Amino acid sequence: MAHEGKRDWTDEERVQRMVKSYAVRYDNEFWKSLDSLTGSGTRETVADFGCGPGLLLVDIANKYSAKVAIGVDESKEMLAQADTFLKERTNLESFELVQVNLDTEEIPVEPDSIDYAFSGFMLHEVASPSVFVSQVRRHIRSQGLFVVYDFISGNEAAFVKTMSEHGMSEEQARKRYPHMCKHSAIDIEEILQTSGFQDCRMIAIDEIRAVVVGIKR
Ligand SMILES: C[S@@+](CC[C@H](N)C(=O)[O-])C[C@H]1O[C@@H](n2cnc3c(N)ncnc32)[C@H](O)[C@@H]1O
């Protein structure tokens, strides 16, 4: 059966749709929640798993004055867009874009090398969230953070309303709700905890989105 929560991210039009919708998806409420969960300061190596077109990676690299950025995605079309944005919009010492299917392949990045890892609108797409999160954890340094931002379950009507406002038909939104809003905020927090992250905390930004963070001790 097709994964209704996952699209064909090699489609160039979808890549551009992700770019266009970035400011709406990563709005002020998101940044306020992120700040209150993770604070400011410097993070030398930042990474985005399922980085898509790379705009969030650009923003966190600049926000945390990172020297190195790593973007991981299975779509080479997304990574090509990320390459352009990282070159144009950051002053990183270096960056690496890695094409990997995180459901089936190991992440070819040094273990214990990332200070700040992120994953946005991605957890609901992976085949096994706990395998994915455990894999990410291995690549994070001691005291490093992992931030998951995703849709959450619990209010189908709010999800359908928001998606309809952004051009999805009501029928499609209802069909996709169980796949895109697969986990509650508490479920995501538990996935991080059971995968070995500590001091996990979350903020439900509204009825359909949450930010969750854990620390690798
Ligand atoms: C909804 S898009 C979000 C992109 C980006 N995080 C953002 O918010 O703009 C999901 C991204 O995750 C990637 N993705 C989904 N499943 C993946 C997997 N198993 N391995 C690697 N990348 C994956 C897709 O290629 C896509 O770029």
Side-chain angles (χ1 to χ4, degrees):
M1 194 176 95
H3 185 332
E4 286 296 333
K6 190 166 176 175
R7 300 286 100 174
D8 172 10
W9 298 118
T10 64
D11 178 348
E12 196 50 49
E13 207 183 301
R14 284 211 174 93
V15 175
Q16 293 314 315
R17 230 181 283 156
M18 281 288 112
V19 172
K20 283 202 192 80
S21 62
Y22 176 73
V24 173
R25 295 181 297 114
Y26 293 84
D27 59 1
N28 285 340
E29 293 306 308
F30 161 77
W31 288 107
K32 262 197 275 171
S33 304
L34 187 73
D35 275 349
S36 96
L37 289 172
T38 69
S40 48
T42 302
R43 308 272 176 183
E44 196 171 309
T45 301
V46 296
D48 189 358
F49 293 90
C51 66
L55 286 168
L56 185 280
L57 190 54
V58 165
D59 280 344
I60 58 171
N62 291 334
K63 178 179 169 62
Y64 297 109
S65 307
K67 291 187 177 151
V68 179
I70 300 165
V72 180
D73 205 287
E74 67 181 331
S75 158
K76 77 171 178 349
E77 291 74 7
M78 287 286 191
L79 292 174
Q81 180 63 79
D83 184 65
T84 303
F85 283 142
L86 284 160
K87 279 180 184 147
E88 285 175 358
R89 302 183 184 194
T90 70
N91 291 313
L92 287 156
E93 283 179 10
S94 67
F95 68 83
E96 196 182 340
L97 294 170
V98 189
Q99 190 187 359
V100 155
N101 179 345
L102 292 157
D103 291 340
T104 54
E105 294 168 271
E106 288 289 314
I107 304 167
V109 170
E110 283 281 292
D112 303 310
S113 61
I114 296 166
D115 299 293
Y116 190 104
F118 186 90
S119 196
F121 298 107
M122 153 70 168
L123 192 75
H124 67 270
E125 296 199 0
V126 296
S128 167
S130 53
V131 170
F132 165 64
V133 174
S134 301
Q135 198 189 169
V136 169
R137 187 178 173 279
R138 284 199 287 283
H139 298 277
I140 296 180
R141 270 194 193 120
S142 171
Q143 307 308 317
L145 300 182
F146 184 32
V147 179
V148 173
Y149 175 41
D150 206 354
F151 291 117
I152 51 173
S153 59
N155 193 332
E156 181 175 345
F159 176 79
V160 171
K161 182 169 177 288
T162 305
M163 290 297 140
S164 305
E165 282 164 7
H166 292 103
M168 193 183 282
S169 72
E170 189 181 325
E171 189 195 352
Q172 263 294 314
R174 286 199 190 288
K175 194 166 150 198
R176 298 189 68 197
Y177 170 77
H179 306 277
M180 291 176 76
C181 301
K182 222 176 195 174
H183 311 106
S184 67
I186 291 172
D187 292 339
I188 299 175
E189 199 174 39
E190 278 174 9
I191 293 166
L192 263 64
Q193 264 159 9
T194 54
S195 306
F197 284 99
Q198 295 186 16
D199 301 334
C200 298
R201 288 169 304 136
M202 54 94 165
I203 293 179
I205 297 177
D206 52 30
E207 287 167 305
I208 63 166
R209 299 175 293 162
V211 186
V212 184
V213 62
I215 302 179
K216 177 172 172 178
R217 293 283 183 211

